[in-house]
Amino acid sequence: MSRPLIIGSRGSKLALWQAEQARTRLQSLNPQLDVHIEIIKTTGDVKNDPLSVIGGKGVFTKELEDTLLDGRIDLAVHSLKDLPTILPDGLSISAICEREDPRDALVLRAESAGSSHGSLLHLPHGAVVGTSSQRRLAQLKSLRSDVVVRDLRGNVDTRIRKLDEGQYDAVILASAGLVRLGLHERISARIEINEMLPAVGQGAIAIETNSDNEFAVQITSRLDHRETRLACLAERAFLRGLGGGCQFPIAAHAVLEGDMLKLDGLVAKPDGSLILRESSSGSPDDPEAVGSSLASQLIDRGARALL
């Protein structure tokens, strides 16, 4: 290119870490390439209301997508779980990078950090747990109806600070974000998939491009990780089939095992009093069919009424 390749990113530490990773990998593919990062504020960054109030779907991505469409940036780097399942016309996901640990993590106060005794089941009766996720809230209340769940907003550092100040007894965060920020020692327990299903696309980084920008599409597609893409396409098709977003208690996790793509998914009442969970499997040649099939199964069991 005769000009620098511009990456658009949110300004949080985690978002910038992800953008820097993309820049490093792109320059390793083309050492002569000049790559810049431009920070763009999104609605989700400037408003402190709960996601269910400000509209969880797209609040961390819309402004980035607008700058992609008008050509001010060449690619946007997202946490895939923040990216709506239906993209604006003219935009596409040119790469889904290899996934980090998709599980949720239980984080206790600093004096208990790293304790091997930390787990959801060992939290004291009536413990105050922080999360902004309806998905985590529903599954947590299903496991521990006695705990008190309070809304928790802010970047990872802010959430951990609030925990250590005593505002919460524990918080639940994504393992991937903690690992990427070098905070793995704060993980008291990784919550297993059979105990708490993660968000759709959790742990994966997506590269979004303007379909008309052939150079950006071509070079970023080399960052794609096939196994991660197949799993995430199935998960996103499941979410799209239910018509939900990240502000709803919907969860899914897919894995490629041999020649089969296996997908677990659930829909819950926000208070965790009812959880519908099913599994599906199919050919990795059509991951979206696997996701759509599972969505249909849960719709048949009454999922739409829960949403």
Side-chain angles (χ1 to χ4, degrees):
M1 296 182 73
S2 59
R3 61 171 180 81
L5 189 74
I6 307 298
I7 296 176
S9 171
R10 295 169 58 202
S12 70
K13 281 186 180 180
L14 182 56
L16 289 173
W17 184 95
Q18 294 174 165
E20 288 286 357
Q21 284 292 108
R23 173 160 66 178
T24 298
R25 294 192 61 195
L26 288 169
Q27 290 181 320
S28 71
L29 294 172
N30 188 341
Q32 306 304 315
L33 186 64
D34 189 13
V35 184
H36 293 182
I37 295 173
E38 181 174 332
I39 295 175
I40 297 167
K41 287 187 177 181
T42 68
T43 301
D45 296 316
V46 298
K47 292 191 176 181
N48 293 317
D49 298 310
L51 295 181
S52 57
V53 174
I54 61 178
K57 190 181 294 185
V59 297
F60 294 115
T61 61
K62 182 181 183 301
E63 287 79 5
L64 285 162
E65 291 179 328
D66 288 344
T67 57
L68 266 178
L69 287 168
D70 67 19
R72 283 182 285 161
I73 62 174
D74 297 294
L75 60 135
V77 179
H78 306 281
S79 293
L80 182 60
K81 67 183 180 64
D82 294 332
L83 197 60
T85 56
I86 300 175
L87 303 181
D89 289 342
L91 301 184
S92 62
I93 298 174
S94 54
I96 300 177
C97 305
E98 186 172 3
R99 197 176 212 167
E100 180 56 78
D101 187 344
R103 292 174 293 179
D104 287 310
L106 179 71
V107 182
L108 303 177
R109 291 181 192 159
E111 61 266 23
S112 304
S115 169
S116 61
H117 303 294
S119 75
L120 291 177
L121 297 180
H122 288 94
L123 289 174
H125 183 85
V128 177
V129 181
T131 178
S132 60
S133 163
Q134 293 293 309
R135 170 190 62 81
R136 290 173 180 147
L137 186 158
Q139 294 183 84
L140 177 59
K141 293 294 283 186
S142 176
L143 291 166
R144 291 287 306 271
S145 60
D146 62 292
V147 301
V148 177
V149 181
R150 290 184 183 164
D151 192 61
L152 176 65
R153 291 295 311 277
N155 58 37
V156 173
D157 287 339
T158 298
R159 296 182 187 204
I160 291 178
R161 175 181 56 78
K162 290 178 179 180
L163 168 69
D164 290 341
E165 288 174 349
Q167 297 183 40
Y168 306 88
D169 296 308
V171 300
I172 301 176
L173 302 171
S175 294
L178 292 166
V179 170
R180 286 168 176 154
L181 291 174
L183 296 171
H184 54 277
E185 76 281 354
R186 292 305 307 262
I187 297 175
S188 299
R190 286 179 168 85
I191 306 171
E192 296 303 324
I193 299 295
N194 60 0
E195 195 170 33
M196 182 174 286
L197 269 180
V200 166
Q202 185 160 302
I205 296 171
I207 309 295
E208 188 178 22
T209 50
N210 189 318
S211 302
D212 291 335
N213 190 331
E214 294 182 6
F215 180 79
V217 171
Q218 180 183 31
I219 193 168
T220 56
S221 66
R222 296 172 66 186
L223 305 183
D224 194 61
H225 184 256
R226 176 179 177 271
E227 183 174 334
T228 300
R229 172 176 280 273
L230 293 175
C232 290
L233 286 178
E235 294 168 19
R236 285 170 63 78
F238 169 71
L239 181 60
R240 186 166 55 248
L242 291 170
C246 62
Q247 73 272 37
F248 293 105
I250 299 172
H253 179 249
V255 291
L256 184 62
E257 295 183 358
D259 60 354
M260 294 296 290
L261 186 60
K262 298 184 177 181
L263 174 65
D264 290 324
L266 69 77
V267 177
K269 279 190 174 181
D271 63 2
S273 61
L274 176 62
I275 289 182
L276 304 178
R277 181 166 177 163
E278 291 284 356
S279 299
S280 182
S281 61
S283 169
D285 293 334
D286 194 353
E288 296 197 349
V290 177
S292 297
S293 174
L294 185 58
S296 295
Q297 289 181 49
L298 285 174
I299 289 170
D300 289 343
R301 290 187 57 191
R304 285 268 166 80
L306 298 187
L307 300 176

